[in-house]
Amino acid sequence: MTHPEAATGNRDAAAELEEMIFEQFEVGALLPSESELAARLEVSRLTVREAIRALRARGLVEIRKGRRPRVTTPDGEQIGDVFNALLRFRPGSVFELLEVRRGLEVQTSTLAASNAGTADIAALEQATEAMRRAEEHAEYHEADLRFHQLLARASGNRMLTVLIDALAGSLRDSMAVSYLGHHRRGGSHQRAAEQHREILDRVRDGDPEGAAAAMRGHLRSTERDLRATFAARSVTEEDE
């Protein structure tokens, strides 16, 4: 049985370690050793170990055998589960998700144009090229999703990154639905990739307003694609 004072010490250590993570470490960074953390926090190594486990449960660090803990993004699985359930039981929720995307992704584009580094641009370029070259729908959707996740990371806003990552499953499903309409409207992988390249070009140019406008244009096109998909479904249901 854990002594009450020990439990309090674990919580205090976890709070101090959490503060240290957000103030001193970027996502992907390795934490110092247990002994170093124990010295910094002035607690035992056992207390440090329990604090790290508490933070792992919250998705702030990941632990791999034989390696120091690595800082990661908080787990947004619960948020994603809610959105996934809505899309599964209420297909029309894709339009509500689109409104959420407008709020989030116009902002990620704006910030990315101000904050993206060379590595961010290169990664976005690779994702766009993967979309253009995709031969299978699944391959295209994965590259499409990766572009939007990378754009969020390039924004430099960790909260936006967490939210986009949490919505990954819902975004992938909605992209598949919109692509059906895109194809019905005579579109192709290459044509859709060009919309993303327009966003990328504005980000590369350091043009926040242009990047935001390009994202708005992309999402307007997505809405037309979604409506084309649902119109086709309505016709099919009437025929049945």
Side-chain angles (χ1 to χ4, degrees), residues 83 85-98 230:
F83 277 76
L86 283 170
L87 290 178
R88 186 164 61 252
F89 296 111
R90 291 172 50 195
S93 294
V94 290
F95 293 102
E96 295 178 2
L97 177 60
L98 184 63
F230 277 79

Side-chain angles (χ1 to χ4, degrees), residues 158-230:
R158 294 176 70 176
M159 291 189 179
L160 284 173
T161 301
V162 169
L163 287 171
I164 295 298
D165 285 345
L167 296 177
S170 298
L171 290 174
R172 186 185 295 106
D173 291 344
S174 69
M175 287 169 179
V177 174
S178 67
Y179 190 79
L180 293 174
H182 179 72
H183 183 71
R184 178 170 287 275
R185 294 173 59 221
S188 64
H189 290 171
Q190 292 75 18
R191 182 175 173 185
E194 283 304 312
Q195 295 178 13
H196 294 75
R197 180 164 293 281
E198 177 67 21
I199 298 168
L200 171 57
D201 287 344
R202 301 290 77 75
V203 170
R204 182 189 287 112
D205 292 343
D207 178 5
E209 292 184 3
M215 177 60 78
R216 290 191 190 96
H218 169 54
L219 294 177
R220 282 195 297 269
S221 180
T222 298
E223 181 175 7
R224 290 192 290 270
D225 293 339
L226 288 171
R227 295 196 181 284
T229 298
F230 277 79

Side-chain angles (χ1 to χ4, degrees), residues 7 21 97 100 108 145 159 203 240:
I21 286 172
L97 177 60
V100 172
T108 62
L145 175 61
M159 291 189 179
V203 170
E240 291 176 351

Side-chain angles (χ1 to χ4, degrees), residues 65-95:
K65 188 174 181 179
R67 301 186 64 182
R68 286 180 287 153
R70 183 184 298 275
V71 178
T72 186
T73 54
D75 187 359
E77 184 176 348
Q78 291 182 332
I79 297 174
D81 287 345
V82 171
F83 277 76
N84 290 339
L86 283 170
L87 290 178
R88 186 164 61 252
F89 296 111
R90 291 172 50 195
S93 294
V94 290
F95 293 102

Side-chain angles (χ1 to χ4, degrees), residues 97-184:
L97 177 60
L98 184 63
E99 291 301 323
V100 172
R101 291 184 63 186
R102 285 194 175 103
L104 295 177
E105 296 201 82
V106 169
Q107 186 66 3
T108 62
S109 302
T110 301
L111 291 174
S114 298
N115 299 322
T118 303
D120 295 315
I121 298 297
L124 287 164
E125 182 74 42
Q126 290 176 358
T128 305
E129 185 63 14
M131 291 173 63
R132 190 182 69 80
R133 292 177 176 271
E135 296 181 357
E136 302 291 335
H137 291 336
E139 182 183 0
Y140 170 82
H141 298 321
E142 286 302 319
D144 189 359
L145 175 61
R146 186 161 65 253
F147 178 92
H148 291 272
Q149 290 177 307
L150 289 168
L151 193 65
R153 287 175 173 79
S155 75
N157 185 308
R158 294 176 70 176
M159 291 189 179
L160 284 173
T161 301
V162 169
L163 287 171
I164 295 298
D165 285 345
L167 296 177
S170 298
L171 290 174
R172 186 185 295 106
D173 291 344
S174 69
M175 287 169 179
V177 174
S178 67
Y179 190 79
L180 293 174
H182 179 72
H183 183 71
R184 178 170 287 275

Side-chain angles (χ1 to χ4, degrees), residues 30 52 56 61-70 72:
L30 294 175
I52 289 174
R56 179 181 63 175
V61 298
E62 62 178 4
I63 303 174
R64 297 181 182 178
K65 188 174 181 179
R67 301 186 64 182
R68 286 180 287 153
R70 183 184 298 275
T72 186

